[in-house]
């Protein structure tokens, strides 16, 4: 296969991967951030102690994190079909990607929030700040470098998940590698696909690290 034949395939697959990872990241933050905050706020000694609810959330998150992604994709096929009407293609893969990444990101959010000094929270409480205000104006801003680092790790994981989704017709670079690199023995295309994935991961990791460092220095 020549470069002229590979280039359109690589471009289309890279764009599909970007769409999958981009939308999955948005939904992961929308759902994972509140869950991570709840794990801290509802814990014993938290802003609103609800140990039973925290334990339930913890179990759900642990179960979600323990499932291998390939198993998760297959297990939630009925749910995926219910949400998007199909189980094949870029849009369909966003569902299992999000379901798989939310528990992972929620734990990273919890870890970042727990690193905020207790004295900072106590000072805000002493000034009469409400629980919501403490979360929005103290916990999240103070934990922002850790949150950015956690989001970076999550996006990198999503790229790996999206490549795995290619094994069931999810589209993207993983699908390209399976259909052409493996099934048609196009070794060169397989190598180029791997290089593209490595470059994308390196760029995202470098950008995330730079943003996290800048936020740390600005505090």
């Amino acid at each position: 296969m020549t470069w002229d034949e590979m280039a359109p395939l690589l471009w289309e697959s890279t764009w599909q991967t970007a769409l999958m990872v981009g939308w999955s990241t948005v939904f992961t933050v929308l759902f994972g951030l509140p869950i991570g905050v709840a794990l801290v706020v509802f814990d014993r000694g938290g802003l609103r102690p609800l140990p039973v609810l925290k334990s339930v959330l913890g179990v759900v998150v642990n179960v979600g994190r323990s499932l291998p992604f390939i198993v998760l994709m297959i297990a939630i096929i009925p749910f995926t079909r219910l949400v998007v009407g199909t189980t094949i293609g870029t849009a369909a893969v966003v569902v299992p990607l999000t379901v798989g990444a939310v528990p992972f990101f929620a734990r990273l959010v919890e870890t970042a929030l727990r690193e905020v000094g207790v004295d900072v929270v106590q000072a805000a409480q002493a000034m009469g700040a409400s629980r919501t205000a403490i979360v929005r104006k103290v916990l999240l801003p103070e934990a922002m470098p850790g949150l950015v680092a956690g989001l970076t790790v999550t996006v990198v994981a999503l790229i790996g998940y999206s490549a795995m989704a290619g094994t069931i017709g999810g589209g993207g670079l993983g699908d390209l590698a399976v259909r052409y690199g493996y099934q048609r023995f196009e070794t060169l295309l397989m190598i180029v696909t791997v290089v593209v994935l490595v470059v994308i991961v390196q760029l995202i990791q470098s950008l995330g690290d730079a943003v996290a460092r800048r936020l740390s220095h600005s505090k």
Side-chain angles (χ1 to χ4, degrees):
M1 181 177 287
T2 66
W3 173 251
D4 289 338
E5 294 172 319
M6 286 192 295
L9 294 172
L10 284 169
W11 171 251
E12 181 183 6
S13 298
T14 302
W15 177 243
Q16 289 174 345
T17 295
L19 287 176
M20 284 189 287
V21 174
W23 281 111
S24 301
T25 299
V26 171
F27 291 128
T28 296
V29 173
L30 287 176
F31 294 111
L33 183 61
I35 293 174
V37 171
L39 288 170
V40 175
V41 172
F42 295 155
D43 199 8
R44 287 183 174 87
L47 295 174
R48 181 70 169 87
L50 292 172
V52 175
L53 181 55
K54 191 268 180 181
S55 297
V56 172
L57 282 174
V59 170
V60 172
V61 168
N62 289 339
V63 170
R65 291 180 62 200
S66 64
L67 290 175
F69 182 69
I70 189 69
V71 174
L72 176 66
M73 281 193 301
I74 297 171
I76 68 169
I77 280 177
F79 178 68
T80 301
R81 184 180 291 111
L82 177 66
V83 173
V84 296
T86 182
T87 58
I88 299 175
T90 303
V93 172
V94 172
V95 176
L97 284 176
T98 302
V99 173
V102 164
F104 182 76
F105 182 60
R107 281 300 185 193
L108 295 177
V109 170
E110 179 189 14
T111 301
L113 293 177
R114 291 193 186 283
E115 293 177 355
V116 177
V118 178
D119 54 338
V120 178
V121 177
Q122 292 176 341
Q125 290 175 319
M127 290 187 291
S130 65
R131 289 190 289 262
T132 302
I134 292 175
V135 171
R136 290 177 54 245
K137 298 182 179 180
V138 178
L139 281 177
L140 292 177
E142 288 292 321
M144 194 56 67
L147 293 175
V148 171
L151 181 61
T152 303
V153 173
T154 303
V155 173
V156 170
L158 280 169
I159 293 173
Y161 291 165
S162 71
M164 199 182 305
T167 60
I168 61 169
L173 291 167
D175 181 58
L176 180 67
V178 170
R179 286 191 295 115
Y180 286 88
Y182 177 71
Q183 295 178 350
R184 302 187 186 183
F185 304 102
E186 295 286 352
T187 306
L188 179 58
L189 182 58
M190 174 74 82
I191 294 173
V192 174
T193 302
V194 171
V195 170
V196 171
L197 283 169
V198 170
V199 170
I200 292 173
V201 168
Q202 289 298 320
L203 289 174
I204 291 175
Q205 188 66 59
S206 299
L207 177 62
D209 291 344
V211 173
R213 283 196 301 269
R214 183 162 186 172
L215 289 171
S216 297
H217 294 157
S218 65
K219 288 175 60 178

